[in-house]
Amino acid sequence: MLTSNKNVLNWVDEMVSLCKPDKVVWIDGSEEQLDDLIKRAIESGELIELNQEKLPGCLLHRTKQNDVARVEDRTFICSEKKEDAGPTNNWCDPKEMYGKLTPMFDGVMNGRIMYVIPYSMGPIGSPLAKVGIELTDSIYVVLNMNIMTRIGKAAFENLGDVSNDFVRGLHSKADINPDKRYIVHFPQDNTIWSINSGYGGNVLLGKKCFALRIASYQGKNEGWIAEHMLIVGIENPKGEVKYIAAAFPSACGKTNLAMLIPPEIYRKKGYKVWTIGDDIAWIKPGKDGRLYAINPENGFFGVAPGTSEKSNFNALESTKKNTIFTNVCQNLDDNTVWWEGLDKNPPEHAVDWTGKPWNGKTDNTKGAHPNSRFTAPAKNCPCISPEFDNPEGVPISAFVFGGRRAKTAPLVYQSFDWNHGVFVGATMASETTAAAAGEVGVVRRDPMAMLPFCGYNMGDYFKHWFDIGKIVGDKAPKIFNVNWFRTDDDGKFIWPGFGDNMRVLMWILDRCENNVDANKTPIGYEPKPEDINIEGLDIDTKTIEDLLFVDKDLWKNETKGIAEFFDMFGDKLPKEMKTQLENLKERLK
Ligand code: GTP
Ligand code: SPV
Ligand code: MN
């Protein structure tokens, strides 16, 4: 036992008597303990040890084929009142849900060990950090939580002896039965129960379950926001760093933008990019009235496919040691890993993500699952920010929203003001990706990239955003929208993307400092095409004009989709949101 906090001990006792494990092991975070767990997991086959010369400390894990992504249809927000979960979440009465899950957890850890993982979301000691405890029967979860959060005894120091303010997470793999899979949040009890999955966002309870769903609810009550945002710093040649926080839906480019390598034209002038976070931001007004953000996580759970030396060098570097790979392809020639988009040289002697022999030259199936992932320590990242552990966080100059839109959304535009920016974020839409189970490539509304992650009524969430704007006033970050994914008539991406996205970020920062003019369009301020620096690219200003084109007919149609979307919120839709829609319609006339 690592604490004498009675609230913790009583709750753990209660869960132990429910799950009836053979043994309870408290995770202190020591190297010996973790090494021992790795050894056991390798022995049992839960983890595969990779080439320790080429990939020191690296491991491979394969999940069941029915368990490869988040499951939104089996994810619940069990607030006391249905209205508090809102129309975008699955809801169930908490008593009924406890009633259903309690028998499923009863004795579920018979013959297994229960691991007690104390963890901190955010730097230990940060006023923005919060404590969680995850109980799990999975070593894979323990080892991933060790990378993704700050675990062990230190996390308890933050909680102290009497506090009851910790998130209670209970997870069991049970039988990995997809029909009995439940990812359930009880926001009013600070509790998360997850059963019958062994995959990422379903089971690393500090991540989406706590740091977004529970934390968004806490933030609403405590005056801050928890967002599905990367945080990136851009340092100019004078050594000044400005921070941008950007929300894109799952698998839409957060990790890439967070770690981008500036194009040559900026590098030679002395610009640098610093990563604070790639997925989640906790943001709160600071003493000077500006918004400050921390990354509550301590590692990256990044999408593997498409990650290459060229597309995301820093992410790839981050995975070279002490990394856990999930559902990638195993190269048997040298016992390393491979995935689609890593290079043009798929291995011939390999095992695919399902565990079957695979020949990348002749098989036309995929070697890695499209949602295969790496879990890498943040400190491995060559461009990790010196402010990464700063307990106060970093001041945010701009919020950026974006998604995958083949046509409608232009490369970049700026909202007219805060309230319009909230509208822009709230009306984001994006094509679905492999990060969640279900059809891929269907356009859906995904407000602030939070549709699957908002732990309360999204109508109230919009109101909270409007309220934050009032609190921060003229110190509020400017709000922008970007789209790296516009396609030409052949379906090819027009914008080069990746590192070259820096060119757009530079315009954004120039706007924040009033250094550059803009064109007013019905949807917002757009760059004058010549103000996007295309030096060194093989596209011309005409291409930028095309990328910025606002098709009024498409947008008129868009307003219809927005109106329909807003309808479902009924009385919970803030008045201001309706005003914004009316204004947009007016400007499109
Ligand atoms: P989650 O971890 O699921 O929240 O995803 P994420 O938003 O961090 O997405 P990530 O950066 O891992 O990108 C996912 C996919 O988008 C990868 O296949 C990338 O190669 C691709 N991608 C990222 N940035 C760009 C870009 O600028 N242009 C294009 N065309 N593709 C991109
Ligand atoms: C996402 O889907 O947005 C992720 C991966 O970041 S998971 O942790 O599985 O949610
Ligand atoms: Mn994510």
Side-chain angles (χ1 to χ4, degrees):
M1 260 166 279
L2 305 167
T3 179
S4 50
N5 184 308
K6 283 273 184 312
N7 301 306
V8 174
L9 297 178
N10 291 344
W11 170 70
V12 173
D13 277 351
E14 216 182 295
M15 295 304 111
V16 168
S17 42
L18 174 63
C19 301
K20 305 180 178 60
D22 287 4
K23 197 173 146 191
V24 179
V25 173
W26 290 69
I27 300 298
D28 59 18
S30 71
E31 218 166 294
E32 309 85 82
Q33 189 184 41
L34 294 168
D35 283 347
D36 180 58
L37 289 176
I38 292 172
K39 220 174 81 201
R40 283 160 187 255
I42 292 171
E43 275 162 18
S44 73
E46 185 178 355
L47 290 168
I48 296 166
E49 184 169 54
L50 293 163
N51 185 324
Q52 293 300 298
E53 261 153 50
K54 291 191 174 172
L55 296 170
C58 291
L59 301 158
L60 169 66
H61 175 73
R62 295 190 193 104
T63 64
K64 284 220 171 147
Q65 288 178 51
N66 71 34
D67 190 29
V68 293
R70 285 182 292 101
V71 279
E72 295 178 4
D73 59 330
R74 310 208 59 96
T75 300
F76 288 79
I77 302 295
C78 297
S79 39
E80 293 291 335
K81 286 191 280 179
K82 178 164 193 204
E83 189 192 57
D84 291 336
T88 59
N89 283 312
N90 299 311
W91 175 84
C92 176
D93 177 81
K95 276 190 220 71
E96 188 183 328
M97 188 54 95
Y98 280 126
K100 176 157 30 192
L101 296 186
T102 300
M104 290 171 62
F105 275 104
D106 191 358
V108 74
M109 296 190 189
N110 229 308
R112 301 183 187 184
I113 299 174
M114 176 192 275
Y115 301 98
V116 182
I117 317 167
Y119 63 94
S120 169
M121 297 311 288
I124 306 261
S126 162
L128 285 102
K130 283 185 179 278
V131 178
I133 299 170
E134 177 163 358
L135 311 178
T136 178
D137 53 10
S138 159
I139 296 182
Y140 171 79
V141 167
V142 176
L143 298 175
N144 273 272
M145 287 295 283
N146 174 45
I147 299 172
M148 294 307 296
T149 73
R150 292 140 171 110
I151 68 163
K153 204 167 161 47
F156 275 132
E157 278 164 31
N158 249 26
L159 188 65
D161 279 342
V162 289
S163 174
N164 196 23
D165 184 13
F166 64 96
V167 170
R168 296 143 165 79
L170 175 63
H171 164 250
S172 174
K173 294 182 286 189
D175 316 312
I176 321 267
N177 179 346
D179 301 325
K180 294 186 177 165
R181 187 166 297 154
Y182 286 92
I183 319 299
V184 180
H185 309 72
F186 303 95
Q188 280 128 337
D189 297 346
N190 254 350
T191 294
I192 306 157
W193 281 13
S194 163
I195 191 160
N196 276 303
S197 173
Y199 184 81
N202 299 332
V203 301
L204 308 177
L205 301 186
K207 196 172 175 60
K208 295 302 161 65
C209 299
F210 177 175
L212 287 179
R213 297 196 190 96
I214 297 284
S216 61
Y217 171 79
Q218 295 175 327
K220 181 194 62 149
N221 296 329
E222 298 167 9
W224 53 284
I225 50 178
E227 297 298 327
H228 193 199
M229 288 181 174
L230 68 95
I231 310 164
V232 65
I234 298 188
E235 180 177 335
N236 70 17
K238 284 185 270 179
E240 298 158 343
V241 188
K242 303 277 180 219
Y243 296 91
I244 294 174
F248 310 151
S250 303
C252 290
K254 288 184 300 300
T255 304
N256 276 269
L257 195 69
M259 303 178 191
L260 71 83
I261 294 196
E264 173 73 25
I265 52 158
Y266 294 114
R267 258 182 299 154
K268 69 178 185 219
K269 286 188 195 146
Y271 283 91
K272 289 185 186 131
V273 165
W274 299 108
T275 306
I276 299 273
D278 82 325
D279 197 46
I280 299 178
W282 285 359
I283 306 162
K284 196 175 180 174
K287 291 188 196 87
D288 63 0
R290 304 174 68 189
L291 286 181
Y292 282 74
I294 62 161
N295 172 10
E297 303 191 282
N298 201 25
F300 311 119
F301 186 62
V303 179
T307 306
S308 70
E309 216 160 283
K310 209 165 143 269
S311 71
N312 195 345
F313 174 85
N314 288 319
L316 196 62
E317 276 301 299
S318 309
T319 67
K320 300 257 162 95
K321 59 179 183 198
N322 304 326
T323 292
I324 301 174
F325 296 92
T326 302
N327 293 340
V328 300
C329 173
Q330 182 184 13
N331 182 346
L332 291 181
D333 284 333
D334 59 356
N335 193 23
T336 55
V337 288
W338 190 85
W339 49 77
E340 279 67 23
L342 173 65
D343 55 38
K344 297 211 167 83
N345 189 25
E348 286 176 67
H349 306 109
V351 178
D352 72 7
W353 69 274
T354 69
K356 284 204 278 295
W358 187 77
N359 182 334
K361 299 281 191 301
T362 56
D363 285 327
N364 45 32
T365 53
K366 286 205 182 335
H369 187 274
N371 191 36
S372 56
R373 300 253 169 183
F374 53 79
T375 319
K379 62 170 180 286
N380 281 2
C381 182
C383 60
I384 198 72
S385 166
E387 302 298 314
F388 179 75
D389 281 316
N390 186 336
E392 305 299 325
V394 295
I396 299 299
S397 298
F399 282 131
V400 179
F401 296 112
R404 284 178 190 260
R405 289 308 290 274
K407 297 287 173 225
T408 323
L411 180 62
V412 58
Y413 63 101
Q414 180 187 359
S415 70
F416 296 118
D417 53 32
W418 178 270
N419 282 2
H420 178 232
V422 175
F423 172 80
V424 167
T427 56
M428 251 167 85
S430 190
E431 294 160 22
T432 51
T433 65
E439 214 178 327
V440 168
V442 196
V443 175
R444 71 168 182 185
R445 300 258 150 229
D446 187 350
M448 281 86 168
M450 282 290 278
L451 183 74
F453 307 121
C454 184
Y456 62 105
N457 191 312
M458 266 205 138
D460 292 331
Y461 170 84
F462 297 150
K463 176 168 184 301
H464 190 44
W465 263 84
F466 287 127
D467 289 346
I468 293 277
K470 286 186 208 128
I471 293 168
V472 192
D474 61 3
K475 297 202 168 124
K478 302 280 186 281
I479 303 181
F480 299 80
N481 192 275
V482 299
N483 178 24
W484 317 134
F485 299 93
R486 226 185 227 205
T487 52
D488 60 18
D489 294 337
D490 301 326
K492 288 215 184 69
F493 296 123
I494 307 171
W495 175 246
F498 301 100
D500 289 313
N501 293 334
M502 167 104 170
R503 299 165 189 271
V504 173
L505 298 187
M506 292 305 288
W507 182 79
I508 288 176
L509 288 180
D510 275 338
R511 286 295 293 168
C512 292
E513 279 152 62
N514 276 320
N515 286 339
V516 67
D517 223 358
N519 288 333
K520 194 167 179 183
T521 80
I523 62 168
Y525 296 119
E526 281 200 343
K528 296 180 183 299
E530 63 275 18
D531 287 334
I532 297 291
N533 190 334
I534 51 170
E535 190 190 328
L537 287 182
D538 56 359
I539 59 173
D540 52 21
T541 311
K542 170 75 178 62
T543 314
I544 299 295
E545 276 169 32
D546 291 346
L547 283 164
L548 291 172
F549 179 65
V550 177
D551 184 327
K552 278 200 181 181
D553 288 330
L554 280 183
W555 274 92
K556 281 182 187 158
N557 207 32
E558 190 76 0
T559 59
K560 289 185 198 138
I562 294 171
E564 263 170 47
F565 178 67
F566 280 173
D567 270 349
M568 75 165 138
F569 296 101
D571 293 348
K572 285 283 190 187
L573 188 77
K575 238 186 16 260
E576 182 58 33
M577 210 57 111
K578 283 181 216 156
T579 309
Q580 289 293 334
L581 178 56
E582 289 315 310
N583 294 351
L584 173 61
K585 282 194 198 153
E586 201 52 43
R587 292 192 302 265
L588 284 167
K589 269 188 188 149

